[in-house]
Amino acid sequence: MAQTVVEVRDVSKCYGGRKGRRGHAESVTRALDHINFTVEEGEFVAIMGPSGSGKSTLLNCLATIDAPTNGSIVVGGREVTSLSSREVARFRREDLGFIFQDSSLLDTLTIRENIALALTLTRTPAREIDAMVDALAQRLGITETLARYPYEVSGGQKQRAAAARAVITKPKMVLADEPTGALDTKSARDLLEAMTFLNDMGTTILMVTHDSSVASYCDRIVFIRDGKLWGQMKRGSDDRAAFLQRIVSATTKLEAGDPRDF
């Protein structure tokens, strides 16, 4: 039986509500409205929804970049909404991996050094680091880039290097925020195949995307509209093409404001 890695329990996030300069109360914006869902170990889950639906706010709360107004978030058995600043830093370093749209690699370090940096921060013995980087780079097809700097490689290679950096410490979960957003079609496919490979190796991935084709690589979709959970969809036995058709149909209804019927 799969272990639950993430539990989002009745999470809401509100902005505003305080008194402005003239003493008038500001209107309250409810970015998240009583969200509940779980992620099991080894799942590849996409969060989808229209612009302004709360996707990024939810990801920021999971990453402890932002704190929910109400509710709780449990990752790996730990309630992360009540961690101290020191505990948050350690949680992000040891339990989370991140893949951003712009890769966020350091241009002053080689690709090898960028990937190895995460291991250095967790005080992995130096004699073990090169072997771990080499093995992961080979699996992701970026061995030839290791001695180069980020500005010397393609966008797709940078994103695969970012994926390697995210998983090399074996975090409990990888959070990906529109990771293919700046890539061409081939590079996006290469990255998604690399992420699928990492997921097949046991990495739990939670990805925000607006792209149905990107989401079709996942096991399950969590749909959000107006800060509320609109529905969830599992891939099941569908191949990627069939799953993509179901996602497109669902997102069309989601964006039109139609009720869920799947």
Side-chain angles (χ1 to χ4, degrees):
M1 186 174 180
Q3 181 180 354
T4 299
V5 175
V6 181
E7 296 179 74
V8 177
R9 303 171 178 166
D10 202 34
V11 166
S12 296
K13 178 62 181 180
C14 302
Y15 296 99
R18 299 178 180 178
K19 290 187 177 181
R21 292 182 179 178
R22 297 183 180 180
H24 299 297
E26 299 175 353
S27 61
V28 175
T29 299
R30 190 175 289 273
L32 297 174
D33 191 358
H34 301 288
I35 295 285
N36 290 276
F37 71 93
T38 61
V39 178
E40 304 299 316
E41 185 176 26
E43 273 198 293
F44 190 174
V45 179
I47 300 174
M48 299 191 73
S51 178
S53 61
K55 303 186 301 295
S56 294
T57 300
L58 177 57
L59 197 73
N60 286 341
C61 288
L62 287 163
T64 64
I65 294 170
D66 206 348
T69 306
N70 300 106
S72 66
I73 297 173
V74 179
V75 178
R78 297 181 70 191
E79 168 59 69
V80 302
T81 57
S82 59
L83 297 178
S84 68
S85 57
R86 178 175 294 183
E87 289 171 331
V88 163
R90 183 174 180 179
F91 168 71
R92 292 178 188 167
R93 184 173 64 246
E94 298 181 357
D95 293 345
L96 296 181
F98 297 93
I99 307 174
F100 302 102
Q101 183 173 328
D102 63 355
S103 81
S104 297
L105 298 177
L106 300 175
D107 278 336
T108 55
L109 301 180
T110 64
I111 297 296
R112 175 185 292 279
E113 290 167 340
N114 268 283
I115 298 171
L117 181 60
L119 293 172
T120 303
L121 294 174
T122 58
R123 299 182 180 179
T124 302
R127 63 183 178 277
E128 299 176 12
I129 291 178
D130 277 349
M132 294 174 69
V133 172
D134 287 337
L136 188 53
Q138 184 175 10
R139 291 172 182 172
L140 297 184
I142 53 172
T143 299
E144 74 279 6
T145 71
L146 290 178
R148 301 176 188 171
Y149 290 89
Y151 55 82
E152 297 177 317
V153 304
S154 70
Q157 289 170 325
K158 283 194 288 188
Q159 283 299 71
R160 278 181 281 160
R165 179 187 59 186
V167 304
I168 199 163
T169 58
K170 299 181 180 178
K172 289 184 172 63
M173 175 175 58
V174 169
L175 300 175
D177 189 5
E178 300 281 5
T180 64
L183 301 180
D184 58 45
T185 301
K186 181 184 182 305
S187 296
R189 184 175 64 249
D190 289 345
L191 174 64
L192 289 164
E193 288 175 354
M195 292 175 68
T196 300
F197 170 79
L198 294 171
N199 177 245
D200 289 342
M201 296 291 290
T203 303
T204 304
I205 304 174
L206 188 61
M207 173 175 67
V208 164
T209 182
H210 68 280
D211 190 323
S212 296
S213 179
V214 171
S216 69
Y217 282 82
C218 297
D219 305 317
R220 179 162 57 100
I221 316 297
V222 175
F223 295 101
I224 295 177
R225 183 175 71 194
D226 299 328
K228 298 180 179 180
L229 183 67
W230 185 73
Q232 301 188 51
M233 177 184 290
K234 291 186 177 182
R235 179 170 179 169
S237 60
D238 283 350
D239 61 20
R240 199 170 69 80
F243 192 35
L244 174 57
Q245 289 185 339
R246 290 170 57 205
I247 296 169
V248 170
S249 177
T251 54
T252 299
K253 294 171 182 175
L254 174 70
E255 292 171 1
D258 293 341
R260 181 179 67 85
D261 65 354
F262 58 84

